[in-house]
């Protein structure tokens, strides 16, 4: 029996993934490959909705692809490809934009959040229509499930509405997808500011573990993590956010439960505990970093692999686009 189809996209908007992306997204996608026929797209068309540097973007696309492969996305089993290599995305986006209400698009909260600072006048139209491109991404692959964080749920709801509307107006063309909300237990917080989630947009680098950091630097960042003065090692998000975050990181990198770990480490002091967390994170990330650097050392081979995967993606996407064009009388 064919496995259900899964689609997920990631923006090439930083050079290195951070530990939050690794635990909160990549580790989960890796595991999902066993149960789904997965398409993982590096969404460079989404990345250009904000000002970007072409040379940097091109490097970030390769670096992201290398990190995904090194982290366990198997490009022979799952389809790992670059969005702009498949022309159907932009074409279907146009078709869908003609059945999207202006009011409906205006209700997308992420656009409002992203333009809260700079104002909507300064934003590109592409940033505004971003969710319609995301709908095209998902629908092109007859996707059944879309693993997303909470912040993307509204966009998947829009995708469901658009696919149902299109099918009703023009005849059954698209599969209506369902969102699968990613495990919020896998949320990682900033080591220096454990009230905020670890994010590439944090003000300083000290609280962020980058997958491409050298192991010694990673260990130092973890040993310098903010904790508290109480001394006990137990999970308590409100009173002990720093220690709780470290327990979550240790649990995700060792596969052991938080209860089990707090029972083992309570009473040993923060120094020994942090060393154990640092060792576990380095043991997990160092081989991924090395494999990433190996892959990046041969960009021609990486490009060849991405081109082959784009061909596989285009075969599926072009067939769906053709159905949509025909259904609309084009
Ligand atoms: P950032 O917040 O650094 O900008 P993105 O928004 O690009 O990261 O997120 C990419 C993926 O990583 C998403 O699936 C998101 O849910 C996940 N993710 C991002 N930050 C974290 C975090 N701190 N903990 C767990 N998962 C995260
Ligand atoms: Na984000």
């Amino acid at each position: 029996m064919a496995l259900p189809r899964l689609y997920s996209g990631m923006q090439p908007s930083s050079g290195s993934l951070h530990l939050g992306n690794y635990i909160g997204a990549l580790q989960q996608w890796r595991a999902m490959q066993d149960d789904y026929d997965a398409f993982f797209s590096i969404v460079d068309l989404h990345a250009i909705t904000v000002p970007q540097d072409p040379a940097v973007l091109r490097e970030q696309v390769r670096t992201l692809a290398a990190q995904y492969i090194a982290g366990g996305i198997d490009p022979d089993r799952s389809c790992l490809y670059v969005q702009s290599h498949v022309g159907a995305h932009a074409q279907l986006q146009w078709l869908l934009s003609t059945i999207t209400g202006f009011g409906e698009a205006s209700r997308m909260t992420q656009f409002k959040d992203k333009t809260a600072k700079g104002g909507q006048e300064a934003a590109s139209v592409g940033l505004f229509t971003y969710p319609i491109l995301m709908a095209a991404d998902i629908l092109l692959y007859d996707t059944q499930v879309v693993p997303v964080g909470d912040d993307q749920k509204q966009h998947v709801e829009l995708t469901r509405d658009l696919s149902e509307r299109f099918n009703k107006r023009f005849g059954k063309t698209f599969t209506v997808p369902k969102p699968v909300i990613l495990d919020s237990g896998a949320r990682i917080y900033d080591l220096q500011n454990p009230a905020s989630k670890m994010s590439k947009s944090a003000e300083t680098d000290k609280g962020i573990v980058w997958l491409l950091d050298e192991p010694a630097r990673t260990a130092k960042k973890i040993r310098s993590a903010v904790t508290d003065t109480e001394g006990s090692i137990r999970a308590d998000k409100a009173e002990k956010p720093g220690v709780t975050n470290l327990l979550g990181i240790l649990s995700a990198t060792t596969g052991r439960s938080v209860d089990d770990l707090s029972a083992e480490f309570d009473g040993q002091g923060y120094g020994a505990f942090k060393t154990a967390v640092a060792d576990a994170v380095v043991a997990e990330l160092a081989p991924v970093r090395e494999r990433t650097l190996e892959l990046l050392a041969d960009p021609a081979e990486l490009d060849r692999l991405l081109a082959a995967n784009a061909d596989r993606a285009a075969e599926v996407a072009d067939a769906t686009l053709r159905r949509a064009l025909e259904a609309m009388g084009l």
Side-chain angles (χ1 to χ4, degrees):
M1 213 182 74
L3 294 172
R5 180 66 58 76
L6 175 149
Y7 177 92
S8 193
M10 48 273 178
Q11 280 216 35
S13 44
S14 67
S16 174
L17 294 175
H18 57 66
L19 186 62
N21 304 140
Y22 184 81
I23 291 171
L26 180 48
Q27 271 195 340
Q28 303 194 41
W29 292 340
R30 180 170 68 207
M32 286 171 144
Q33 294 180 109
D34 295 334
D35 302 317
Y36 295 96
D37 175 21
F39 282 73
F40 297 113
S41 178
I42 297 177
V43 294
D44 54 351
L45 294 176
H46 286 278
I48 61 170
T49 57
V50 294
Q52 103 286 9
D53 177 322
V56 172
L57 179 63
R58 191 166 292 121
E59 252 343 277
Q60 286 178 341
V61 166
R62 282 206 189 98
T63 306
L64 191 60
Q67 287 172 97
Y68 276 95
I69 296 166
I73 300 298
D74 176 357
D76 292 325
R77 190 154 58 127
S78 301
C79 186
L80 175 72
Y81 74 99
V82 180
Q83 183 188 27
S84 66
H85 296 177
V86 178
H89 288 259
Q91 287 174 274
L92 183 60
Q93 191 264 343
W94 178 256
L95 302 187
L96 294 176
S97 76
T98 66
I99 64 159
T100 308
F102 184 78
E104 184 176 40
S106 305
R107 284 190 290 278
M108 295 295 116
T109 57
Q110 196 172 67
F111 177 74
K112 292 183 197 164
D113 293 345
K114 284 187 173 170
T115 54
K117 252 197 212 150
Q120 295 188 353
E121 284 290 320
S124 70
V125 173
L127 188 66
F128 180 69
T129 55
Y130 182 115
I132 309 173
L133 179 59
M134 183 168 155
D137 300 341
I138 294 166
L139 297 178
L140 280 173
Y141 298 92
D142 286 321
T143 303
Q144 287 153 288
V145 303
V146 188
V148 282
D150 250 349
D151 57 331
Q152 292 291 326
K153 190 162 175 260
Q154 195 188 27
H155 294 165
V156 182
E157 290 303 332
L158 176 71
T159 306
R160 288 172 57 82
D161 290 345
L162 293 178
S163 57
E164 280 168 351
R165 186 176 308 154
F166 190 104
N167 287 346
K168 210 160 166 199
R169 239 179 247 180
F170 302 111
K172 171 93 179 85
T173 304
F174 296 123
T175 302
V176 180
K178 281 198 180 65
V180 172
I181 305 304
L182 288 170
D183 182 7
S184 67
R187 168 112 352 140
I188 305 303
Y189 296 87
D190 190 293
L191 296 172
Q192 289 300 314
N193 179 19
S196 311
K197 73 174 198 123
M198 190 176 286
S199 169
K200 59 177 172 275
S201 31
E203 267 161 42
T204 77
D205 177 68
K206 273 182 65 187
I208 307 174
V209 170
W210 298 106
L211 199 150
L212 297 181
D213 275 344
E214 292 197 3
R217 190 168 162 77
T218 296
K220 188 168 174 224
K221 283 179 176 173
I222 292 171
R223 285 195 308 269
S224 315
V226 167
T227 48
D228 53 64
T229 54
E230 188 215 29
S232 73
I233 292 165
R234 61 190 165 80
D236 179 342
K237 230 178 187 156
E239 299 295 322
K240 300 171 68 68
V243 169
T244 306
N245 187 35
L246 291 173
L247 278 167
I249 292 171
L250 190 55
S251 169
T253 46
T254 59
R256 295 176 57 193
S257 75
V258 166
D259 284 350
D260 198 21
L261 293 167
S262 33
E264 176 181 335
F265 284 98
D266 196 24
Q268 289 193 31
Y270 291 164
F273 174 55
K274 284 178 173 176
T275 299
V277 179
D279 288 349
V281 171
V282 167
E284 176 73 28
L285 294 188
V288 181
R289 173 177 180 272
E290 280 187 13
R291 181 77 189 115
T292 302
L293 297 178
E294 271 171 33
L295 289 161
L296 287 173
D298 190 354
E301 171 59 17
L302 196 55
D303 288 352
R304 192 202 57 73
L305 200 148
L306 289 172
N309 273 252
D311 287 347
R312 276 168 67 200
E315 223 171 278
V316 179
D318 289 349
T320 312
L321 175 65
R322 215 170 304 122
R323 282 202 317 264
L325 287 165
E326 267 169 32
M328 291 183 97
L330 299 164

